[in-house]
Amino acid sequence: MAREKNNSEESKTVQAVERALAIMDALAEAGVPMAISDLADKVQLNISTVHRLLSTLIVKGYIEQEPETSRYKLGLKLFAMGKTALYAQDLQTIGRPFLEELVRRCNETANLAILDGRDVVYIDQVESNNIVIVRMFARVGSRGPAHATGSGKMLLSSLSDEELDKLFNGVQLEQYTSETITDVAILKKELQRIRRQGYAIDLGERDENVRCVAAPIRNHEGKVVAAISVSGPDTRITNYYLNNELVDIVLSVAREMSKRLGYMGND
C-alpha cells in the first residue's frame, strides 16, 4: 500500500521541474558557485541532463554562469522573487491591524490586495461579523480579474498609460455581471476617473449585489503597492452610506496605513 501511495504522489509531479528545482536547491545550499560536475554529483544526474536544465534556467534568469570560472550560481531573478514574497508578507503583517480597524468601524469585510499582471491577488482579509454576509469570490490567496474589482481597478489606475497598453493590448475583458466593464477604452476612462478622485468603487462588477470601495496604499516613495478595500451587500452598502460615510472611512484608514509604510504625502 505504501508503494502505491508513493507512485500516486510521484505521478502528480513533473520530472523536469523536480530536477530543475533540485539544481536550484543544491546551489542555494552550497552558497557558492558550483562546477557542473559537482552539481551533477550533488543532484545525482548525468552532466548532459544538468547542462540542458542549466541552459534553460540561464535563459529564464534563474541561474547565472560566471564567465571567468564557468561555475554556476543562482540568478538575480530568484532574489527579486524572494524579495517580492517577503514584501507581500510584510504588507500582510503591517496591514492586519488596519483591516481590523475597517471592520470595527463599518462591520463589513475588509481586504488587502496587490496587483499581478491583469490579476488582483488578495493577501489578507478580515471578515465581517454580520449575521448575514454575502458569498464573495475574494479569499486570502485567491486571484481575481483586476478590471472587474474595486481593488483591481484602484491598482490598475496607478499604472502608466504605456503599462496599461502592454497589459491590455488585444485582450478581451471577461464579463462576470451586467455591470462588468468589457471595453478596454471604457476601462481606461474609468481608471482616469479613479486617479482624479483617489479611490475606486465596484458596484457588482464581479459579484452580483456586492459593492466595494478601495483606496491606495503607498510606500515611502509614494508608489502604490497595495489596495485596501471594504466589500459588502448592496442592501447594507447603499448609495447614501457609500458616498457619505464609507468612502471617507476607507480613505482615512488607507492614509494611516500608508503613513505606517513611510509615506509622507497628502494624496
Side-chain angles (χ1 to χ4, degrees):
M1 292 293 290
R3 181 61 181 167
E4 291 177 4
K5 181 179 179 181
N6 289 338
N7 286 339
S8 175
E9 290 174 351
E10 289 172 4
S11 68
K12 296 177 182 177
T13 63
V14 178
Q15 186 182 62
V17 176
E18 282 191 330
R19 288 175 170 179
L21 292 172
I23 287 172
M24 290 189 284
D25 284 342
L27 288 170
E29 185 178 337
V32 294
M34 294 180 68
I36 191 169
S37 57
D38 295 334
L39 194 52
D41 288 340
K42 182 70 174 178
V43 297
Q44 298 183 345
L45 294 171
N46 62 59
I47 288 179
S48 62
T49 299
V50 173
H51 186 267
R52 287 196 303 273
L53 291 168
L54 285 170
S55 296
T56 300
L57 292 168
I58 287 172
V59 169
K60 296 298 183 180
Y62 294 101
I63 299 293
E64 295 177 3
Q65 185 178 25
E66 293 186 332
E68 302 86 0
T69 65
S70 295
R71 292 173 177 265
Y72 298 89
K73 61 183 180 181
L74 295 178
L76 290 177
K77 188 169 185 178
L78 285 172
F79 173 75
M81 290 172 66
K83 198 174 177 185
T84 299
L86 286 173
Y87 193 57
Q89 290 180 354
D90 287 344
L91 281 174
Q92 186 182 45
T93 301
I94 293 170
R96 173 51 68 121
F98 296 98
L99 294 178
E100 292 172 345
E101 172 70 5
L102 275 177
V103 175
R104 186 188 68 78
R105 293 177 65 177
C106 61
N107 201 16
E108 299 292 351
T109 298
N111 309 285
L112 187 64
I114 58 175
L115 189 67
D116 183 17
R118 292 190 296 272
D119 290 340
V120 61
V121 182
Y122 295 87
I123 61 174
D124 203 6
Q125 181 182 81
V126 176
E127 286 194 329
S128 161
N129 57 23
N130 268 304
I131 295 175
V132 179
I133 59 174
V134 294
R135 300 299 299 174
M136 295 176 287
F137 83 95
R139 291 289 182 270
V140 176
S142 68
R143 306 171 75 89
H147 72 278
T149 61
S151 292
K153 291 189 298 180
M154 185 68 255
L155 292 164
L156 287 174
S157 74
S158 70
L159 302 181
S160 67
D161 291 338
E162 291 76 15
E163 289 171 317
L164 289 173
D165 287 339
K166 288 180 181 179
L167 275 182
F168 293 104
N169 184 34
V171 172
Q172 177 60 53
L173 301 180
E174 187 171 351
Q175 183 168 6
Y176 297 91
T177 73
S178 60
E179 300 298 324
T180 307
I181 296 174
T182 58
D183 185 281
V184 173
I186 295 175
L187 175 63
K188 287 182 177 180
K189 289 182 180 179
E190 169 75 353
L191 298 179
Q192 290 174 357
R193 184 180 64 81
I194 291 169
R195 289 188 193 115
R196 290 194 300 269
Q197 67 185 18
Y199 61 90
I201 294 176
D202 164 14
L203 301 178
E205 296 168 40
R206 174 56 180 81
D207 293 308
E208 295 277 5
N209 308 123
V210 175
R211 293 183 165 187
C212 172
V213 176
I217 301 300
R218 299 177 185 272
N219 65 8
H220 64 286
E221 297 175 331
K223 180 181 178 182
V224 176
V225 293
I228 195 167
S229 66
V230 167
S231 302
D234 56 9
T235 52
R236 290 198 299 264
I237 301 183
T238 61
N239 289 338
Y240 181 85
Y241 176 54
L242 188 152
N243 292 311
N244 291 279
E245 294 185 50
L246 189 56
V247 166
D248 288 339
I249 292 173
V250 176
L251 285 172
S252 172
V253 174
R255 281 192 291 268
E256 290 305 311
M257 182 172 170
S258 294
K259 288 180 182 178
R260 176 68 176 79
L261 290 175
Y263 179 61
M264 303 299 290
N266 296 315
D267 293 347

